[in-house]
Amino acid sequence: MKRLLFAIVVLLGTVNVYAQDIYSCRNANLSFFSSAPMEDIEAKTDKGVSAINAKTGAVYFKVPVSSFKFKKKLMEEHFNENYLETEKYPYAEYKGKFASPVDITKDGTYDVAVEGVLSLHGVDKTYKEKATITVQNGKVTTLSKFNVRLEDHKIKIPTLVIKNIAEVVEVTVNATYAASGK
Protein backbone atom coordinates (compact mmCIF):
# COMPACT_ATOMS: atom_id res chain seq x y z
CA MET A 1 0.00 0.00 0.00
CA LYS A 2 2.90 2.37 0.74
CA ARG A 3 4.26 1.75 -2.77
CA LEU A 4 0.88 2.58 -4.27
CA LEU A 5 0.63 5.83 -2.30
CA PHE A 6 4.17 6.73 -3.35
CA ALA A 7 3.23 6.05 -6.98
CA ILE A 8 0.20 8.30 -6.60
CA VAL A 9 2.32 11.11 -5.17
CA VAL A 10 4.84 10.82 -8.00
CA LEU A 11 2.05 10.59 -10.59
CA LEU A 12 0.47 13.78 -9.30
CA GLY A 13 3.79 15.56 -9.72
CA THR A 14 4.17 16.31 -6.05
CA VAL A 15 7.66 15.17 -5.25
CA ASN A 16 8.63 18.72 -4.26
CA VAL A 17 5.28 19.61 -2.70
CA TYR A 18 4.51 19.54 1.00
CA ALA A 19 2.45 16.58 2.26
CA GLN A 20 -0.45 18.84 3.32
CA ASP A 21 -1.07 19.58 -0.38
CA ILE A 22 -1.88 15.92 -1.00
CA TYR A 23 -5.22 14.52 0.10
CA SER A 24 -5.62 10.76 -0.13
CA CYS A 25 -8.36 8.17 0.20
CA ARG A 26 -7.69 4.46 0.59
CA ASN A 27 -11.30 3.26 0.52
CA ALA A 28 -13.09 5.18 -2.21
CA ASN A 29 -16.59 3.89 -2.92
CA LEU A 30 -17.38 3.24 -6.56
CA SER A 31 -20.54 1.75 -7.96
CA PHE A 32 -22.22 1.30 -11.27
CA PHE A 33 -25.83 0.82 -12.26
CA SER A 34 -27.22 -0.55 -15.49
CA SER A 35 -30.94 -0.42 -16.20
CA ALA A 36 -32.09 -2.77 -18.95
CA PRO A 37 -35.48 -4.18 -20.00
CA MET A 38 -34.84 -7.62 -18.49
CA GLU A 39 -32.92 -6.73 -15.32
CA ASP A 40 -31.17 -3.94 -13.44
CA ILE A 41 -27.55 -4.60 -12.60
CA GLU A 42 -25.66 -2.95 -9.77
CA ALA A 43 -22.20 -3.51 -8.31
CA LYS A 44 -20.19 -1.78 -5.60
CA THR A 45 -16.67 -1.65 -4.22
CA ASP A 46 -14.89 0.26 -1.48
CA LYS A 47 -11.42 -0.75 -2.69
CA GLY A 48 -10.62 2.34 -4.74
CA VAL A 49 -7.62 4.50 -3.92
CA SER A 50 -7.50 8.16 -4.82
CA ALA A 51 -5.49 11.31 -4.34
CA ILE A 52 -6.00 15.01 -4.98
CA ASN A 53 -3.22 17.56 -5.22
CA ALA A 54 -4.67 20.72 -3.64
CA LYS A 55 -2.09 22.96 -5.36
CA THR A 56 -2.35 21.67 -8.93
CA GLY A 57 -5.90 20.27 -8.93
CA ALA A 58 -4.67 16.90 -10.18
CA VAL A 59 -6.98 13.97 -9.39
CA TYR A 60 -6.15 10.26 -9.47
CA PHE A 61 -8.28 7.13 -8.94
CA LYS A 62 -7.43 3.46 -9.24
CA VAL A 63 -9.67 0.50 -8.50
CA PRO A 64 -9.22 -3.25 -8.87
CA VAL A 65 -12.04 -4.14 -11.26
CA SER A 66 -12.50 -7.59 -9.70
CA SER A 67 -13.34 -5.95 -6.35
CA PHE A 68 -16.85 -5.00 -7.55
CA LYS A 69 -19.46 -7.09 -5.74
CA PHE A 70 -22.85 -8.01 -7.20
CA LYS A 71 -26.05 -9.33 -5.61
CA LYS A 72 -25.81 -12.41 -7.84
CA LYS A 73 -22.57 -14.39 -7.89
CA LEU A 74 -23.13 -15.48 -11.50
CA MET A 75 -23.31 -11.84 -12.63
CA GLU A 76 -20.01 -11.20 -10.87
CA GLU A 77 -18.39 -14.14 -12.66
CA HIS A 78 -19.65 -13.02 -16.08
CA PHE A 79 -18.54 -9.44 -15.36
CA ASN A 80 -14.99 -10.52 -14.46
CA GLU A 81 -14.48 -13.32 -16.97
CA ASN A 82 -16.49 -12.35 -20.06
CA TYR A 83 -17.07 -8.59 -20.12
CA LEU A 84 -14.27 -6.77 -18.26
CA GLU A 85 -11.72 -9.58 -18.56
CA THR A 86 -10.18 -8.70 -15.21
CA GLU A 87 -7.27 -11.13 -15.53
CA LYS A 88 -6.13 -9.21 -18.60
CA TYR A 89 -7.24 -5.73 -17.42
CA PRO A 90 -7.14 -5.82 -13.60
CA TYR A 91 -7.52 -2.07 -12.90
CA ALA A 92 -9.60 0.88 -13.92
CA GLU A 93 -7.64 4.11 -13.58
CA TYR A 94 -8.50 7.78 -13.91
CA LYS A 95 -6.00 10.64 -14.21
CA GLY A 96 -7.50 14.10 -14.41
CA LYS A 97 -7.53 17.66 -13.23
CA PHE A 98 -10.04 20.23 -12.02
CA ALA A 99 -11.01 22.46 -14.96
CA SER A 100 -10.66 25.54 -12.74
CA PRO A 101 -8.88 26.12 -9.41
CA VAL A 102 -10.62 24.95 -6.23
CA ASP A 103 -9.33 25.77 -2.75
CA ILE A 104 -10.00 22.52 -0.93
CA THR A 105 -8.26 23.86 2.16
CA LYS A 106 -11.31 26.06 2.96
CA ASP A 107 -14.71 24.87 4.21
CA GLY A 108 -17.48 24.97 1.64
CA THR A 109 -19.25 23.10 -1.13
CA TYR A 110 -17.83 23.41 -4.61
CA ASP A 111 -19.29 22.26 -7.91
CA VAL A 112 -16.40 21.55 -10.24
CA ALA A 113 -15.68 20.18 -13.68
CA VAL A 114 -13.03 17.50 -13.86
CA GLU A 115 -11.36 16.51 -17.11
CA GLY A 116 -9.15 13.50 -17.55
CA VAL A 117 -8.59 10.06 -19.01
CA LEU A 118 -10.33 6.91 -17.85
CA SER A 119 -8.41 3.75 -18.65
CA LEU A 120 -10.84 0.83 -18.62
CA HIS A 121 -10.65 -2.55 -20.35
CA GLY A 122 -7.42 -1.49 -22.07
CA VAL A 123 -8.98 1.60 -23.66
CA ASP A 124 -8.22 5.22 -22.72
CA LYS A 125 -11.02 7.74 -23.14
CA THR A 126 -11.22 11.39 -22.14
CA TYR A 127 -14.13 12.40 -19.93
CA LYS A 128 -15.20 15.84 -18.79
CA GLU A 129 -17.60 15.42 -15.89
CA LYS A 130 -19.02 17.29 -12.92
CA ALA A 131 -18.24 16.62 -9.30
CA THR A 132 -19.22 18.10 -5.97
CA ILE A 133 -16.50 18.67 -3.40
CA THR A 134 -17.47 19.33 0.20
CA VAL A 135 -14.90 20.53 2.71
CA GLN A 136 -15.77 20.59 6.40
CA ASN A 137 -13.24 20.87 9.23
CA GLY A 138 -10.39 19.67 7.02
CA LYS A 139 -12.32 16.64 5.75
CA VAL A 140 -12.73 16.59 1.97
CA THR A 141 -15.46 14.50 0.33
CA THR A 142 -16.16 14.16 -3.38
CA LEU A 143 -19.18 12.88 -5.24
CA SER A 144 -19.48 12.39 -8.98
CA LYS A 145 -21.89 10.56 -11.25
CA PHE A 146 -21.21 10.03 -14.92
CA ASN A 147 -22.09 7.69 -17.75
CA VAL A 148 -19.78 5.22 -19.44
CA ARG A 149 -20.73 3.80 -22.83
CA LEU A 150 -19.52 0.18 -22.91
CA GLU A 151 -18.76 0.39 -26.63
CA ASP A 152 -16.32 3.28 -25.96
CA HIS A 153 -14.13 0.88 -23.97
CA LYS A 154 -14.58 -2.08 -26.33
CA ILE A 155 -16.63 -4.02 -23.78
CA LYS A 156 -18.58 -6.51 -25.86
CA ILE A 157 -21.96 -7.85 -24.82
CA PRO A 158 -23.02 -11.15 -26.43
CA THR A 159 -26.25 -10.87 -28.44
CA LEU A 160 -27.76 -13.61 -26.27
CA VAL A 161 -27.83 -11.25 -23.24
CA ILE A 162 -27.98 -7.87 -25.00
CA LYS A 163 -31.43 -7.13 -23.50
CA ASN A 164 -30.09 -7.82 -20.01
CA ILE A 165 -27.35 -5.19 -20.08
CA ALA A 166 -27.62 -1.50 -20.90
CA GLU A 167 -25.25 0.06 -23.43
CA VAL A 168 -24.59 2.93 -21.02
CA VAL A 169 -23.71 2.40 -17.36
CA GLU A 170 -24.05 5.07 -14.65
CA VAL A 171 -20.91 5.23 -12.50
CA THR A 172 -20.91 6.84 -9.03
CA VAL A 173 -17.71 7.78 -7.21
CA ASN A 174 -17.74 8.86 -3.57
CA ALA A 175 -14.54 9.38 -1.61
CA THR A 176 -13.47 10.94 1.68
CA TYR A 177 -9.95 12.33 1.84
CA ALA A 178 -7.51 13.24 4.55
CA ALA A 179 -4.40 15.32 4.17
CA SER A 180 -1.38 13.04 3.80
CA GLY A 181 0.64 12.76 6.93
CA LYS A 182 -2.42 13.14 9.18
Side-chain angles (χ1 to χ4, degrees):
M1 184 56 93
K2 286 184 180 184
R3 265 200 245 160
L4 181 59
L5 285 175
F6 177 75
I8 290 171
V9 169
V10 170
L11 206 102
L12 292 173
T14 57
V15 175
N16 295 321
V17 177
Y18 296 111
Q20 69 257 21
D21 292 332
I22 304 299
Y23 290 76
S24 62
C25 175
R26 294 182 184 170
N27 59 348
N29 292 290
L30 294 98
S31 64
F32 65 84
F33 180 77
S34 162
S35 183
M38 298 295 285
E39 186 172 25
D40 290 343
I41 298 171
E42 185 174 19
K44 299 177 180 183
T45 183
D46 64 356
K47 305 293 184 212
V49 294
S50 180
I52 296 173
N53 181 320
K55 260 192 180 156
T56 67
V59 179
Y60 178 79
F61 275 92
K62 186 172 186 176
V63 61
V65 179
S66 64
S67 70
F68 281 95
K69 299 299 172 202
F70 294 72
K71 288 180 183 172
K72 295 181 179 177
K73 193 70 175 162
L74 187 58
M75 280 185 186
E76 195 170 310
E77 287 177 26
H78 286 285
F79 172 81
N80 286 306
E81 294 171 13
N82 303 332
Y83 307 130
L84 273 289
E85 303 173 276
T86 57
E87 282 192 23
K88 188 173 181 182
Y89 309 107
Y91 295 98
E93 189 173 45
Y94 179 83
K95 299 174 192 174
K97 191 170 183 174
F98 298 140
S100 57
V102 178
D103 187 353
I104 64 171
T105 64
K106 295 186 179 168
D107 283 2
T109 300
Y110 310 96
D111 291 323
V112 298
V114 182
E115 186 169 0
V117 175
L118 173 64
S119 179
L120 175 65
H121 195 246
V123 177
D124 293 347
K125 178 165 175 31
T126 300
Y127 286 82
K128 186 172 184 176
E129 302 297 335
K130 295 179 181 176
T132 300
I133 299 172
T134 304
V135 182
Q136 188 172 13
N137 300 323
K139 185 169 99 174
V140 178
T141 59
T142 61
L143 175 64
S144 180
K145 287 187 180 196
F146 59 96
N147 292 323
V148 172
R149 180 174 295 287
L150 300 181
E151 181 181 326
D152 290 346
H153 291 278
K154 297 185 180 170
I155 299 168
K156 302 214 184 309
I157 307 301
T159 52
L160 182 65
V161 294
I162 199 75
K163 291 186 179 183
N164 294 17
I165 301 171
E167 294 176 28
V168 177
V169 175
E170 180 185 66
V171 177
T172 302
V173 180
N174 190 341
T176 301
Y177 298 83
S180 294
K182 284 190 177 183

